[in-house]
Amino acid sequence: MTDGIAPDRLEKLQALRAAGQDPFPARVPRGEPVAAVLADFAGRQGRAATLCGRLGQIRDFGKLRFAHLQDRTGSIQVGFQRERLPAFWPERKRIESNDLVSVTGELGTTQKGEPTLWATEVVLAAKALRPAPEKWHGLTDTEQRYRMRYVDLFANPEVRDAFARRSLVVREVRAYFDSLGYLEVETPILQPIFGGAAARPFRTHHNALGMGLFLRIAPELYLKRLLVGGMERVYEIGRVFRNEGVSTRHNPEFTMLESYEAWADYRDVMARVEGLFAHLVAKVLGGDGKVVFRGRDYDLRPPFQKARYLDLFAAANPGVDWFDDAAVRRRARELGLPVDGIAAATLANDVFEATVEDGLQGPVFVHDYPVAISPLAKRLAADPRVTERFELFVAGMELGNAFSELNDPLDQEQRFVEQVAQRSDETPGEVDLDYVTALEFGMPPAGGLGIGIDRLCMLLSGAASIRDVVLFPLLRRLDPTAAAADDAEAPAPPPAP
RNA sequence: GGGGGCGUAGCUCAGCCGGUAGAGCAGCGGCCUUUUAAGCCGUAGGUCGCAGGUUCGAUCCCUGCCGCCCUCACCA
């Protein structure tokens, strides 16, 4: 890991040490934010200031050198003059671009009016043993950007901005639910039985308890236990883990918002989602709901369009009845979809996805999903074939999923039993009886919501790939021997000592 | 997993029809007190992703592997 060190930088480090200087001091004179200085620059000219940050490229004029200094708030030019820095001058070359420094000096301008800190005191805060990427292009190699995000972040300001925006999005999502009296809670990530979604889980093991565990695929079942407990409005923003493929819109670990509100139904939840977007448009996008995503314009200001699932299906597949297996199969073959061994409802939904979903530019609420593909949602009283459920689509991407929650313990247990009987690797190996027990104590009618925070951030920042809003996306190991030792089929966990 | 693309200096990239590799920036040495992609002169820097094969000769052609990107599948 040390073979990327630049020899010349190591030499400078050793020269500094030989001269009795600490290249990694515990503390240096602390400065103020660069942005604060720039904000009141006119009023502070001629006054002293201290700034800390990373040095950019040095522009050397012999007895004068310029460089920019960058901190989290911005960057400003620093001027080093021989006549102001007699003691520092002989060692000036030991401090170079990419080093972290504390600079004290006098604020002024250059002949061209550039705000400049004319240094009178330069303290090395941390020596950089590796050079920064090229100044003009920055770091562009995608793989390097993900593997060395720390470099990506300091070399590419727009990357910092994107993650600052993500932070803002999460903060404002919290603010919205907090303002409605929801309690933010944290539920188990390590779960003995996984549930709340259909996905393959990651497995792990607790040594002391000698117990196999799963990383959660959804917090859903624990949050609904809280409704039974009387916490009528709860939400959680947390990581969930799904042992599936990686793509521009899937990372194996991602951040999910789930909220549950007692005494509400899916119509109420729809209003909450619109309220959330109104809030985010105001706070994150500055009131302008227009975003560009994957080359298209979207307006995220509510209200959003609404369309019935079956209406969309009928419009895209004239003459095909969603509930008519034979007709659906015919249509699926026509579309070139695989049909063998696929359950009727699943196939019908495949046809929906193939003919409707990609075209859902939205934002649009697709609602009233067939019960066969909605195992956790309540049936619509007026039409028991469909459920009180909606999904929010933008740019053909599923952003959210919500429904009136099933709270009938007998029905729930029956559905769990059927699920377990399917014995797929996406279904739990046993019924979550404790959850059923919770429902038996009585869960108020409730509306629940799940929103993928990563995808929401993609949309709000125009990021085409989920990896552009995940700081450290999952990548393969580079070390081939380590990679070969890994087994995709999860090696047996180490026994307890 | 299928298909397509990519991998060359620390970074960004050239490299023709096969003849053992080049630029800019960064580095190093010099000149320069107002630059801001500073400039000028000089200099150093390479396991051409890895391993085989074809060939007198491979960065280039072939095969396998590794990694990344796109896409399809998977993933409500």
Side-chain angles (χ1 to χ4, degrees), chain A residues 165-452:
Chain A
R165 172 161 291 204
R166 177 171 178 136
S167 175
L168 178 62
V169 169
V170 172
R171 189 157 62 246
E172 293 303 336
V173 168
R174 284 205 167 94
Y176 175 73
F177 283 98
D178 291 346
S179 75
L180 292 167
Y182 282 71
L183 283 183
E184 181 174 9
V185 297
E186 293 173 275
T187 61
I189 289 174
L190 296 175
Q191 303 182 347
I193 304 172
F194 67 96
R200 261 187 290 273
F202 287 91
R203 294 158 196 279
T204 186
H205 186 264
H206 188 279
N207 288 345
L209 296 181
M211 178 166 67
L213 289 165
F214 300 98
L215 301 187
R216 69 177 172 194
I217 57 173
E220 174 147 349
L221 300 182
Y222 284 94
L223 290 171
K224 286 194 280 197
R225 283 171 167 92
L226 300 180
L227 295 182
V228 173
M231 302 175 78
E232 296 178 341
R233 295 185 177 195
V234 292
Y235 74 96
E236 178 164 9
I237 296 174
R239 209 68 63 86
V240 300
F241 308 84
R242 298 187 180 179
N243 208 335
E244 300 292 353
V246 176
S247 80
T248 48
R249 38 190 88 175
H250 300 268
N251 195 55
E253 53 179 309
F254 62 100
T255 302
M256 176 91 111
L257 160 74
E258 284 199 9
S259 74
Y260 292 87
E261 178 170 340
W263 319 111
D265 66 12
Y266 78 136
R267 294 278 164 190
D268 300 313
V269 176
M270 217 179 260
R272 295 291 188 220
V273 173
E274 291 190 330
L276 174 63
F277 271 81
H279 182 81
L280 292 174
V281 164
K283 299 291 185 177
V284 178
L285 299 178
D288 178 5
K290 294 189 173 54
V291 294
V292 179
F293 184 73
R294 299 189 171 186
R296 275 179 187 260
D297 296 319
Y298 296 91
D299 190 339
L300 300 181
R301 286 173 303 178
F304 299 150
Q305 296 171 256
K306 297 173 180 62
R308 274 196 190 75
Y309 179 96
L310 290 175
D311 291 349
L312 291 172
F313 183 90
N317 303 281
V320 182
D321 179 359
W322 196 92
F323 298 97
D324 178 349
D325 189 26
V328 165
R329 262 171 219 285
R330 239 183 344 265
R331 178 65 171 146
R333 278 195 203 91
E334 194 178 302
L335 293 165
L337 297 174
V339 296
D340 293 336
I342 297 178
T346 309
L347 190 64
N349 192 48
D350 289 346
V351 170
F352 177 86
E353 289 181 2
T355 56
V356 178
E357 210 165 279
D358 290 348
L360 292 173
Q361 293 305 325
V364 56
F365 289 118
V366 178
H367 59 96
D368 297 0
Y369 278 65
V371 67
I373 54 169
S374 310
L376 295 161
K378 273 194 171 170
R379 289 170 205 270
L380 212 61
D383 182 355
R385 297 179 310 168
V386 298
T387 58
E388 297 196 359
R389 174 189 178 193
F390 71 83
E391 293 199 350
L392 174 63
F393 284 91
V394 184
M397 187 166 72
E398 181 198 333
L399 264 191
N401 186 16
F403 31 81
S404 301
E405 301 293 338
L406 182 65
N407 60 347
D408 174 344
L410 303 176
D411 190 355
Q412 183 68 75
E413 182 170 12
Q414 185 57 36
R415 295 194 198 187
F416 275 167
V417 166
E418 283 164 15
Q419 219 183 8
V420 169
Q422 285 175 11
R423 287 222 150 266
S424 108
D425 49 7
E426 292 183 6
T427 55
E430 59 187 301
V431 172
D432 192 338
L433 289 175
D434 180 70
Y435 177 67
V436 175
T437 300
L439 293 187
E440 287 166 0
F441 279 98
M443 183 178 99
L449 169 69
I451 287 183

Side-chain angles (χ1 to χ4, degrees), chain A residues 28-47:
Chain A
V28 296
R30 281 194 80 168
E32 54 186 313
V34 166
V37 170
L38 288 174
D40 182 32
F41 195 80
R44 301 185 50 173
Q45 287 219 40
R47 314 266 279 274

